[in-house]
Amino acid sequence: MLVEYIGIDPSDVVAFGDDINDLGMLKSAGTAVAVSNAIDEVKVVADHITESNDQDGVAKFLERTLLV
């Protein structure tokens, strides 16, 4: 995994996803975030659900969590 190669602990990673191809990444990340229009399988593994990608959900999550 890239995080191992560059020396980052997976628990320090935040991953965003919306579809089946994101499941492995989300399960490996310390914090898994699904957008509200994600498929149900992604929402089940997510630690947080943010607004849809059409509503800038990733940016809003980052603003709420990193800029506090």
Side-chain angles (χ1 to χ4, degrees):
M1 284 179 28
L2 178 61
V3 292
E4 294 167 350
Y5 179 76
I6 59 177
I8 297 173
D9 191 294
S11 66
D12 293 329
V13 173
V14 178
F16 298 87
D18 67 346
D19 211 338
I20 198 85
N21 62 310
D22 298 320
L23 285 174
M25 171 185 65
L26 293 169
K27 290 177 183 177
S28 296
T31 303
V33 183
V35 290
S36 65
N37 58 323
I39 62 171
D40 290 337
E41 292 88 346
V42 169
K43 291 178 183 178
V44 167
V45 301
D47 301 306
H48 303 277
I49 299 176
T50 190
E51 292 87 350
S52 75
N53 54 357
D54 295 325
Q55 298 170 314
D56 300 322
V58 172
K60 289 178 180 177
F61 180 87
L62 292 172
E63 287 175 343
R64 284 192 299 267
T65 58
L66 297 179
L67 300 178
V68 288

